[in-house]
Amino acid sequence: MAAYRKAGLARRAWLLITCCALAVATAGTTAYAAPGRPPVFSPGSPGAGDPYFPDMGNGGYDVSHYDIRLAFDPKTKAIDATTTILAWATQDLSRFDLDFQGPLTISKLSVNGLNAAFTRSGAQELVITPPYGLRKGLPFLVSVSYAGVPQRIDDPALGISGWVATKDGAVALNQPIGAATYYPVNDTPNDKATYSQTITVPSGLTVLANGEPGPTTTHNGQSTFRWSMNRPMASELAMIMIGDLNVTRSVTSDGLPNITAIGKSIDTKPGQGTVLNQTTAQVVQWESSMYGSYPFQSTGGIIADVAVHYALETQGRPVYDQRTSNVSGQLLAHELGHQWFGDSLTPTRWSDIWLNEGFATYSEWLYKEKFQGVPVQQSFEKEYAAEKDWTGKVADPGRDHIFDDLVYNRGAMTLHALRMKIGDRAFFRVLTLWPTTHRYGNVSTRDFIGFVERLTNRDLGAFFDTWLYQPGQPKL
Ligand code: TRP
Ligand code: ZN
């Protein structure tokens, strides 16, 4: 999605081309050709240009919406799914790629309702050749039906991501490279889209996903859950949680639906589900007062035994791994802080992930000050004194180091050093105006530096160079 305003258009186009798929497809080369100049169709790029992940994402089109319909069988761990993608061609396309990886078998693939040829190449390229070229500027629908047992990614440096089978169900946690393990996707943070997810499981299990729920229906011992995310979302932030869960629903004092869940096997202490729900509401409310209004239409969170060893800022509804993380208000402040920094504003390149983790870690420091009486200055000084590794580049840590402490701690220290340099008034304006100005967009470190320089009318080039790009402990 190039811009948020496209969403309304996308929904109208969705209806239009669902009805007229054939007409659009067969209009093909003649009806839409510019007079005098026959279109030259060429293949879309197999990557989106991220130096850390050259195969991730693709070129030549822009996705507006994913419609994922998926049935899960907990006995076999298999899925049976159809994903339909509404996209707009950004060049005259002879063929294009989606990212899709692992052992799932494709039974049917169509473009604008017509069967399309496809091959799978390399680790994750699904190469699609529609029967007619796709004209630049026009929408097209891709529908892929597939089945099998998805295989999670277990990367030595980046941990577990993708579709993960659990004791009582499954969870999809995609950051940074897991989305393509269970749906065909333009897997780059630079192509956000809206999502509808329709998940069928044996009755008794519960399904949560991003966004707002639709009706749940039950038929022949199978229950179908519906969720929709109507704000732009990066594929790394899409989530599905299937399990034996206790769900708590409330509404925050800002009127935001707040849907939380906790795995039944770990919901042992009375009131834990209520604590998660209430703390989530409290943190979202407080962060909204600093970062500007909450960017999504509902909130929540899920504590479950997913055994991935991290919590993740999945859009609108983070997932907390009970087994390895101490689920505290401070951790909620981190993952919910990401809703502004990471989710609403998303770095174009993975090298800029400090723009997520620095602000999320700073949210923890602010939480400790507000709710536990530990001044931010004290958190900063502690990290500054304790940090042993001052060698990497915060704003370009390298593919295998995007989740290193350097990115989190020195990222947050950079923000506090900025606060000391420009003063509290300007700094807290940055905390509100940076996420407000770039809401739902993609951002870079360069954008951030330019933004702060314009806001303060100061040249901060040397300051940011020292903190973000130079090895060694910066002098205070
Ligand atoms: N980005 C997540 C967070 O800040 C943490 C995370 C996701 C992570 N995947 C990881 C940490 C892999 C270490 C390894 O909340
Ligand atoms: Zn984080």
Side-chain angles (χ1 to χ4, degrees):
M1 185 178 290
Y4 174 57
R5 62 186 160 70
K6 247 190 189 173
L9 181 61
R11 259 187 296 278
R12 266 171 279 136
W14 177 259
L15 274 178
L16 177 76
I17 61 181
T18 305
C19 308
C20 314
L22 266 172
V24 171
T26 50
T29 53
T30 47
Y32 290 89
R37 252 215 224 171
V40 179
F41 293 92
S42 60
S45 163
D50 193 304
Y52 291 7
F53 302 103
D55 294 338
M56 285 182 74
N58 307 284
Y61 63 91
D62 188 356
V63 176
S64 287
H65 187 80
Y66 292 92
D67 179 67
I68 300 173
R69 295 172 192 225
L70 180 152
F72 174 67
D73 181 348
K75 285 204 193 78
T76 61
K77 311 282 182 205
I79 63 169
D80 188 344
T82 296
T83 293
T84 303
I85 299 170
L86 170 61
W88 299 69
T90 55
Q91 69 182 61
D92 287 326
L93 281 172
S94 58
R95 61 163 214 250
F96 61 95
D97 287 14
L98 286 164
D99 299 303
F100 195 50
Q101 55 181 303
L104 303 181
T105 305
I106 295 173
S107 57
K108 185 172 166 56
L109 194 157
S110 68
V111 177
N112 291 334
L114 300 177
N115 284 337
F118 64 91
T119 57
R120 296 180 69 176
S121 96
Q124 66 178 87
E125 299 307 310
L126 169 57
V127 184
I128 299 170
T129 308
Y132 297 90
L134 303 170
R135 291 304 310 268
K136 178 178 177 175
L138 291 182
F140 60 98
L141 274 183
V142 189
S143 190
V144 187
S145 297
Y146 52 95
V149 180
Q151 293 298 305
R152 66 183 200 178
I153 307 269
D154 204 345
D155 184 279
L158 305 172
I160 295 169
S161 60
W163 185 274
V164 179
T166 62
K167 255 185 281 168
D168 55 334
V171 65
L173 296 170
N174 300 343
Q175 188 186 65
I177 50 174
T181 62
Y182 68 96
Y183 68 106
V185 53
N186 191 25
D187 199 8
T188 162
N190 213 13
D191 190 3
K192 297 189 184 193
T194 52
Y195 279 68
S196 44
Q197 307 202 74
T198 305
I199 314 293
T200 301
V201 294
S203 298
L205 289 177
T206 296
V207 183
L208 284 89
N210 314 87
E212 292 75 56
T216 300
T217 50
T218 296
H219 187 67
N220 285 342
Q222 300 280 312
S223 295
T224 298
F225 293 77
R226 296 172 176 82
W227 292 90
S228 56
M229 169 47 73
N230 300 316
R231 296 290 178 266
M233 177 163 77
S235 47
E236 53 134 342
L237 301 167
M239 175 274 290
I240 298 172
M241 168 70 80
I242 302 170
D244 204 8
L245 304 163
N246 287 327
V247 178
T248 306
R249 285 161 222 270
S250 68
V251 178
T252 70
S253 45
D254 279 345
L256 208 57
N258 175 21
I259 305 171
T260 55
I262 182 162
K264 276 186 193 162
S265 66
I266 53 183
D267 191 10
T268 46
K269 281 180 257 159
Q272 256 192 302
T274 313
V275 170
L276 171 66
N277 192 273
Q278 288 176 352
T279 312
T280 297
Q282 179 189 40
V283 169
V284 164
Q285 194 91 16
W286 163 68
E287 289 184 338
S288 304
S289 73
M290 297 184 295
Y291 306 153
S293 64
Y294 178 79
F296 308 117
Q297 295 173 297
S298 65
T299 188
I302 304 163
I303 301 179
D305 182 2
V306 290
V308 294
H309 310 278
Y310 57 76
L312 190 62
E313 65 266 27
T314 44
Q315 186 156 310
R317 194 158 291 117
V319 172
Y320 308 94
D321 182 356
Q322 160 77 17
R323 202 189 281 202
T324 48
S325 57
N326 172 26
V327 182
S328 59
Q330 186 182 327
L331 181 62
L332 266 59
H334 181 110
E335 304 309 334
L336 293 167
H338 273 307
Q339 301 305 312
W340 287 263
F341 306 104
D343 294 13
S344 171
L345 268 66
T346 310
T348 299
R349 299 266 175 266
W350 285 100
S351 53
D352 285 333
I353 189 171
W354 83 275
L355 288 170
N356 304 355
E357 301 306 345
F359 281 96
T361 305
Y362 204 74
S363 302
E364 294 183 58
W365 296 0
L366 289 164
Y367 179 89
K368 285 206 279 189
E369 179 168 280
K370 170 84 179 172
F371 296 99
Q372 295 169 355
V374 181
V376 172
Q377 180 68 23
Q378 192 175 314
S379 297
F380 170 81
E381 282 168 12
K382 199 175 141 208
E383 287 300 337
Y384 185 81
E387 186 65 60
K388 289 193 179 63
D389 184 6
W390 292 97
T391 49
K393 284 187 198 167
V394 183
D396 190 6
R399 186 254 188 217
D400 290 349
H401 302 281
I402 59 173
F403 298 126
D404 282 10
D405 282 355
L406 169 84
V407 170
Y408 287 68
N409 294 336
R410 190 163 163 179
M413 281 190 269
T414 300
L415 293 173
H416 195 68
L418 176 66
R419 178 175 170 180
M420 293 190 283
K421 190 156 186 79
I422 66 176
D424 276 13
R425 219 180 101 83
F427 180 77
F428 281 95
R429 286 187 73 208
V430 169
L431 287 189
T432 312
L433 292 178
W434 166 245
T436 307
T437 305
H438 291 277
R439 183 170 270 233
Y440 309 129
N442 288 102
V443 289
S444 67
T445 298
R446 185 189 291 265
D447 293 336
F448 181 66
I449 295 171
F451 183 86
V452 179
E453 287 185 331
R454 281 192 299 280
L455 192 97
T456 56
N457 202 20
R458 289 174 70 159
D459 178 355
L460 296 165
F463 167 83
F464 280 115
D465 184 56
T466 303
W467 275 94
L468 296 175
Y469 293 103
Q470 298 305 322
Q473 186 180 38
K475 300 225 161 32
L476 295 179

